[in-house]
Amino acid sequence: MSTATPVISFDSLRKSYGSLEVLRGITAALYKGDVVSIIGTSGCGKSTLLRCCNRLETINGGKLKVLDIDLSQPKISSQKLKQLRTKVGMVFQQFNLFPHLNVLQNLMLAPTQVLKETKAECRDRALHYLDKVGLSSKADAYPEQLSGGQKQRVAIARSLCMKPEVLLFDEPTSALDPELVGEVLTVMKQLAEEGMTMVVVTHEMSFAREVANKVIFLNQGMVEEQGDAKKVLTNPQSDRLKAFLSRIND
């Protein structure tokens, strides 16, 4: 796998907000089919790193390449940005569904407007992915009629409708009641088994252990430890990761 071209590569990546340096030289490589969990305490830079991958944040130093698109440049053409956002889907913590549209309309909106596909084609794909996440019966429902877990599954289906090559998840279960977390993780596990490349900022260590093949542990904006998920999480080498895992597992 090491001879392949990375899907996402960070090389000494830095990101600051004014005088506050949030990311302090991140270096890592992610490959097609990888499921990578980014873990760490609040404020360590996890979500910022994820948002850089979709150009929701611009970087201040180092290099970042996503699907052969160089995001190190201060300015990127609208065409390149559209190409990036089409190929790299993002699932947010707070779902971000349009409340005035029903579920089917939420799923069809971007493919019809961005990909310029026919409504019939978009509808068929939307229904396919609703079935995939177990929500075929909710096509005509509005977001306010759904539980948090159902909203997040709709958000995942909406991202899949854009036929992405990579999916980014920013703490997708942290806004959910504990009993609803499992239904979202089940969908994500299924996507992983089907070979979807995913980067997941999460506190769900069970997901990181069972589904992710790689883990990146951030500490104070730097990579403290990274590698094979099972090895890193069962036999951490750094004292900071040992302390983090002991708090999470208590």
Side-chain angles (χ1 to χ4, degrees):
M1 178 174 278
S2 60
T3 59
T5 301
V7 172
I8 301 175
S9 62
F10 308 101
D11 185 2
S12 303
L13 183 146
R14 293 182 176 273
K15 170 65 183 176
S16 299
Y17 298 102
S19 60
L20 177 63
E21 193 171 32
V22 179
L23 300 175
R24 302 162 59 198
I26 303 291
T27 297
L30 288 59
Y31 295 87
K32 183 176 175 60
D34 274 347
V35 179
V36 181
S37 286
I38 302 176
I39 62 173
T41 56
S42 296
C44 69
K46 303 185 301 294
S47 292
T48 300
L49 181 62
L50 196 74
R51 289 168 65 86
C52 288
C53 296
N54 212 16
R55 191 66 176 193
L56 294 175
E57 301 283 357
T58 56
I59 68 173
N60 301 112
K63 294 183 179 180
L64 170 58
K65 189 172 279 192
V66 179
L67 295 172
D68 289 326
I69 299 172
D70 187 358
L71 300 184
S72 310
Q73 308 302 320
K75 291 186 178 181
I76 295 179
S77 69
S78 56
Q79 182 182 1
K80 283 285 186 185
L81 198 57
K82 179 181 176 182
Q83 182 184 347
L84 174 73
R85 299 264 171 84
T86 301
K87 291 183 174 183
V88 181
M90 188 151 185
V91 178
F92 296 90
Q93 184 177 340
Q94 297 292 344
F95 325 126
N96 289 8
L97 300 175
F98 292 107
H100 64 290
L101 301 179
N102 67 26
V103 167
L104 191 61
Q105 290 167 334
N106 264 284
L107 266 62
M108 291 175 59
L109 185 64
T112 52
Q113 293 194 354
V114 179
L115 300 182
K116 305 299 183 185
E117 295 178 341
T118 66
K119 286 190 175 181
E121 186 178 0
C122 294
R123 178 184 172 83
D124 287 346
R125 192 183 315 133
L127 291 172
H128 167 75
Y129 284 119
L130 274 183
D131 181 60
K132 190 179 188 68
V133 301
L135 291 173
S136 295
S137 63
K138 299 295 184 181
D140 296 324
Y142 284 82
E144 65 180 12
Q145 299 170 304
L146 304 177
S147 70
Q150 289 172 334
K151 289 177 185 175
Q152 194 60 292
R153 284 188 282 156
V154 169
I156 293 171
R158 178 181 57 182
S159 288
L160 291 171
C161 282
M162 290 293 287
K163 302 184 287 189
E165 294 183 33
V166 179
L167 273 181
L168 310 176
F169 293 83
D170 191 4
E171 303 202 26
T173 61
S174 62
L176 303 180
D177 293 332
E179 65 269 21
L180 301 177
V181 169
E183 63 189 55
V184 175
L185 294 182
T186 296
V187 171
M188 294 172 66
K189 186 174 182 179
Q190 182 184 355
L191 291 174
E193 290 170 350
E194 293 170 358
M196 174 61 74
T197 305
M198 301 194 292
V199 187
V200 186
V201 169
T202 184
H203 286 107
E204 296 290 339
M205 290 302 108
S206 60
F207 176 86
R209 280 192 196 90
E210 296 166 19
V211 184
N213 68 311
K214 292 182 180 178
V215 163
I216 298 174
F217 172 59
L218 295 187
N219 180 58
Q220 298 181 346
M222 296 183 287
V223 176
E224 181 79 22
E225 195 165 337
Q226 65 175 313
D228 177 88
K230 288 184 174 61
K231 289 181 181 178
V232 168
L233 295 174
T234 57
N235 187 28
Q237 300 301 301
S238 86
D239 290 339
R240 288 188 178 94
L241 180 52
K242 289 175 184 175
F244 172 78
L245 292 174
S246 68
R247 288 196 299 272
I248 288 286
N249 294 329
D250 283 345

